[in-house]
């Protein structure tokens, strides 16, 4: 699909960003106007306590291309983005932060990458103007995401991204999953790429993320690994762990049983008593754990089979002539 004549939606989640909203809207409008694109700017106020909403209302009255959504309280960035994606009117959706660290001048480069055939384009802040305690863990996290998922982009945490709108008919956001949209899209066959983007120092406000984000990020990574690899076959993961525990425990008990017999048949070997061996109890525990994991995996398979989601486990790129589009 060529997006050269399409509307471009710019989805901006924000929290207490009253100083920067107007400048951002002006810059985005100017940049898209220069390349002949129609802007659709969606500003989502995620529970701000300053005058952000008043600023959004004023901008919406001033610009016909600006629309605002106000949450009753802070629901998180993933919820704000989900609301923005649902409201977006453009064939292409660009997401960015409102603090002006993301440069709107980069938007045409994202659109060029989409026009060249990619479906998701992620920004890479190669030179970051953030404190070391934020940059260091982020790099470790990005390396782990690449290793576990196979989607090797440099900056999964970067909020500056561009997507084809139809991706979100298949990829649903919840929790803290917004940073993993490229991974979820890749798992369904969409083409993912990245471009290096300019990153400005923060001039207003303060970062909304603390140490807790690191812990949540790693837990979310485990969730994404499961969803992209085993969502349709949970027994393969849970059952494999259970089978391994069961086999190790069984092999250990078999060895101990043979040792117990031999020690009573051969006088030169000291007689052993299994209840005095700690490994005996570990083997029993391994067998019980393995059995429980196997049962849990079978139950998960039954639930998966009986409660299939509305989104099919495949993604169709094209049809030949003769298919009903409504099907």
């Amino acid at each position: 699909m060529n997006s050269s004549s399409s509307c471009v939606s710019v989805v901006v989640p924000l929290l207490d960003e009253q100083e920067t909203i107007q400048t951002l809207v002006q810059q985005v409008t100017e940049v898209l106007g220069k390349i002949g694109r129609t802007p659709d700017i969606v500003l989502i106020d995620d529970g701000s306590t300053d005058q952000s909403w008043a600023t959004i209302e004023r901008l919406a009255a001033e610009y016909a291309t600006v629309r605002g959504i106000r949450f009753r309280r802070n629901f998180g960035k993933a919820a704000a983005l989900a609301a923005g994606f649902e409201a977006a009117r453009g064939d292409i959706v660009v997401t960015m932060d409102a603090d002006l660290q993301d440069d709107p001048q980069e938007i045409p480069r994202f659109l060029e990458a989409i026009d060249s055939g990619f479906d998701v384009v992620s920004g890479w802040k190669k030179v970051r103007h953030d404190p070391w305690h934020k940059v260091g863990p982020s790099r470790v996290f990005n390396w782990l995401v690449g290793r576990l998922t196979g989607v090797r982009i440099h900056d999964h945490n970067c909020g500056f991204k561009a997507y084809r709108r139809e991706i979100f008919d298949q990829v649903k956001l919840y929790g803290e999953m917004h940073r993993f949209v490229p991974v979820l899209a890749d798992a369904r066959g969409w083409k993912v790429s990245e471009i290096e983007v300019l990153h400005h120092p923060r001039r207003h406000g303060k970062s909304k993320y603390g140490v807790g984000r690191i812990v949540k990020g790693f837990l979310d990574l485990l969730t994404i690994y499961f969803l992209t690899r085993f969502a349709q076959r949970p027994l393969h993961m849970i059952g494999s762990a259970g089978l391994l525990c069961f086999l190790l425990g069984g092999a250990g008990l078999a060895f101990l049983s043979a040792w117990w017999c031999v020690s009573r048949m051969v006088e030169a070997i000291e007689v052993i008593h299994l209840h005095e061996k700690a490994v005996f109890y570990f083997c029993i525990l391994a067998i019980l754990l393995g059995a429980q994991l196997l049962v849990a995996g079978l139950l998960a398979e039954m639930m998966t089979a009986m409660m299939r989601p509305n989104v099919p486990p495949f993604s169709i790129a094209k049809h030949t002539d003769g298919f009903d589009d409504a099907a």
Side-chain angles (χ1 to χ4, degrees):
M1 183 198 311
N2 190 325
S3 62
S4 60
S5 60
S6 64
C7 170
V8 176
S9 291
V10 180
V11 174
V12 185
L14 59 94
L15 176 63
D16 296 335
E17 306 285 0
Q18 64 180 22
E19 298 94 346
T20 59
I21 302 173
Q22 179 166 340
T23 303
L24 179 67
V25 168
Q26 291 172 343
Q27 292 182 358
V28 169
T29 302
E30 180 182 353
V31 167
L32 290 177
K34 286 182 178 179
I35 59 175
R37 304 293 180 98
T38 303
D40 171 42
I41 304 174
V42 183
L43 305 173
I44 304 95
D45 183 354
D46 188 18
S48 294
T49 57
D50 62 1
Q51 296 300 309
S52 292
W53 180 246
T55 304
I56 292 173
E57 287 185 311
R58 178 172 55 79
L59 290 171
E62 182 179 348
Y63 293 86
T65 56
V66 174
R67 292 177 292 146
I69 299 173
R70 187 184 191 186
F71 286 174
R72 296 184 185 277
R73 63 169 177 82
N74 179 253
F75 285 94
K77 192 171 184 178
L81 287 172
F85 293 143
E86 185 175 351
R89 297 168 176 168
D91 296 325
I92 307 299
V93 181
V94 176
T95 63
M96 60 190 305
D97 294 334
D99 54 16
L100 296 181
Q101 288 191 275
D102 297 334
D103 194 332
Q105 298 295 331
E106 303 282 4
I107 292 177
R109 297 180 55 233
F110 280 99
L111 301 181
E112 289 174 3
I114 294 288
D115 285 340
S116 68
F118 292 105
D119 304 303
V120 180
V121 182
S122 180
W124 173 23
K125 297 175 289 190
K126 188 174 183 179
V127 179
R128 292 187 60 174
H129 297 280
D130 288 319
W132 66 268
H133 57 80
K134 185 177 179 181
V135 175
S138 179
R139 288 177 176 169
V140 174
F141 176 78
N142 287 316
W143 178 82
L144 278 176
V145 175
R147 290 286 295 177
L148 287 177
T149 67
V151 182
R152 299 183 182 276
I153 59 179
H154 291 84
D155 195 354
H156 288 270
N157 284 318
C158 180
F160 205 0
K161 293 182 172 70
Y163 312 90
R164 294 192 188 276
R165 174 65 184 82
E166 57 265 34
I167 286 176
F168 297 99
D169 294 333
Q170 301 177 3
V171 175
K172 305 302 180 183
L173 295 184
Y174 64 93
E176 297 286 332
M177 298 302 177
H178 55 276
R179 63 178 64 91
F180 296 110
V181 172
V183 176
L184 295 171
D186 177 82
R188 299 188 68 84
W190 300 93
K191 295 180 180 179
V192 178
S193 183
E194 69 176 345
I195 61 172
E196 185 179 337
V197 296
L198 185 62
H199 186 238
H200 295 292
R202 178 181 289 274
R203 296 181 179 178
H204 302 280
K206 60 181 180 179
S207 176
K208 310 302 187 299
Y209 301 104
V211 177
R213 183 192 182 195
I214 300 174
V215 177
K216 293 178 182 178
F218 284 115
L219 293 177
D220 289 337
L221 175 57
L222 295 179
T223 302
I224 287 296
Y225 180 75
F226 178 81
L227 290 177
T228 56
R229 298 294 181 89
F230 303 102
Q232 301 299 321
R233 47 191 178 94
L235 182 61
H236 286 201
M237 185 185 77
I238 303 173
S240 295
L243 190 60
L244 178 62
C245 290
F246 196 88
L247 291 176
L248 288 176
L253 277 184
F255 173 77
L256 290 173
S257 299
W259 188 8
W260 183 90
C261 293
V262 171
S263 70
R264 282 161 173 74
M265 295 172 60
V266 179
E267 295 183 358
I269 299 178
E270 180 182 357
V271 175
I272 68 165
H273 301 283
L274 295 183
H275 69 278
E276 296 178 349
K277 301 293 183 182
V279 67
F280 173 69
Y281 299 100
F282 285 126
C283 290
I284 293 177
L285 180 62
I287 290 176
L288 293 175
L289 178 61
Q292 289 182 330
L293 288 173
L294 285 170
V295 171
L298 289 171
L299 290 174
E301 285 283 344
M302 292 175 61
M303 293 176 64
T304 301
M306 297 176 65
M307 303 175 66
R308 294 284 182 186
N310 293 329
V311 178
F314 54 82
S315 180
I316 297 175
K318 294 180 180 179
H319 281 129
T320 58
D321 292 339
F323 281 87
D324 185 359
D325 292 337

